[in-house]
Amino acid sequence: LLTFAGSNFCHLKTWYDQSGNGNNVTQSATGKQPIMAFSEAVQTVDGRPAVRFEASTADALPFDNTGLDIGNLSSFAVFKLSSTTGTQRVIQLSGTAVSDKTFYAPVISSGNFLYKYANVSRSTPANTNNNLHTLIAGATTLYPPTQGTAEAFLNGTSVGTATLGSGISATAGIGGVGSDFLNGFIQEVVVYSSDQSERRLGIERNISNHYDL
């Protein structure tokens, strides 16, 4: 990568899905592609590769949420903010067009991590640490059920719950949507089209161990 980039900026056009399911995210507009490397150095957070997003150039990766439903959806994301100011749509899997179908996992608003599910918001003060953010919604098929709501977690600690919604709104993106963009670094985004409440602790443990969170 550094041989290819040299002293130039190296931008990310396609973030490839590591699950093998082909759910890649692509930014075709060259001026809005986030940064992988520049000045002969790979972008990193705590020594591990990261993708750098700049709000000034509206860096973002459009997310295709076709076939998803907020009533049965789970997301896990590791990112680090450069600033907690302004509105930054970091992880938005279902958008603002229909208020009862939102899935913000999270966005940054008024200095807070804002997890918005359907028309319910749960928030906690934002920081510039490297954090693991989780938002899970669904009704597990196991008996007795352990998940009949949506619940947000910051580094494994619950931020709050909301009653299950359903449906999807087309406005979705990673790193920014509309006029609100991230200033910071994303290292990982994992999305399941299912309720992962039974597996949450294991998934979070694996991610936290890898990134030393």
Side-chain angles (χ1 to χ4, degrees):
L1 176 62
L2 294 180
T3 300
F4 170 77
S7 60
N8 301 309
F9 283 92
C10 183
H11 294 268
L12 177 66
K13 179 180 180 180
T14 300
W15 198 335
Y16 289 95
D17 176 13
Q18 300 302 300
S19 72
N21 293 322
N23 296 316
N24 309 323
V25 288
T26 297
Q27 176 55 270
S28 298
T30 55
K32 297 182 178 181
Q33 294 168 353
I35 301 166
M36 298 175 64
F38 80 103
S39 297
E40 301 181 349
V42 172
Q43 296 294 281
T44 63
V45 172
D46 298 331
R48 297 174 180 83
V51 180
R52 175 181 161 191
F53 291 76
E54 295 285 346
S56 61
T57 50
D59 295 346
L61 296 168
F63 182 86
D64 182 2
N65 61 13
T66 302
L68 298 182
D69 189 306
I70 68 166
N72 204 29
L73 187 60
S74 304
S75 71
F76 303 81
V78 177
F79 66 84
K80 175 181 174 63
L81 300 176
S82 297
S83 168
T84 62
T85 60
T87 301
Q88 305 178 51
R89 298 192 182 278
V90 188
I91 309 294
Q92 179 173 313
L93 301 187
S94 184
T96 55
V98 184
S99 62
D100 66 350
K101 299 186 187 327
T102 53
F103 195 100
Y104 298 170
V107 301
I108 311 307
S109 178
S110 301
N112 292 307
F113 292 126
L114 175 67
Y115 307 85
K116 187 174 182 181
Y117 179 83
N119 55 7
V120 176
S121 297
R122 299 287 183 255
S123 63
T124 190
N127 59 61
T128 56
N129 301 327
N130 204 26
N131 295 297
L132 169 58
H133 302 264
T134 303
L135 183 54
I136 292 181
T140 181
T141 57
L142 298 180
Y143 183 82
T146 58
Q147 180 85 0
T149 60
E151 187 166 7
F153 300 85
L154 172 60
N155 297 321
T157 299
S158 179
V159 179
T161 63
T163 301
L164 281 180
S166 63
I168 202 77
S169 177
T171 309
I174 297 171
V177 173
S179 59
D180 303 319
F181 297 92
L182 167 65
N183 272 313
F185 302 82
I186 299 178
Q187 289 184 300
E188 185 162 356
V189 179
V190 182
V191 177
Y192 294 90
S193 59
S194 59
D195 169 22
Q196 293 295 311
S197 58
E198 286 290 324
R199 300 178 58 218
R200 177 184 66 83
L201 291 176
I203 295 170
E204 290 180 333
R205 185 181 304 114
N206 288 340
I207 293 174
S208 295
N209 288 343
H210 179 77
Y211 292 103
D212 196 23
L213 299 176

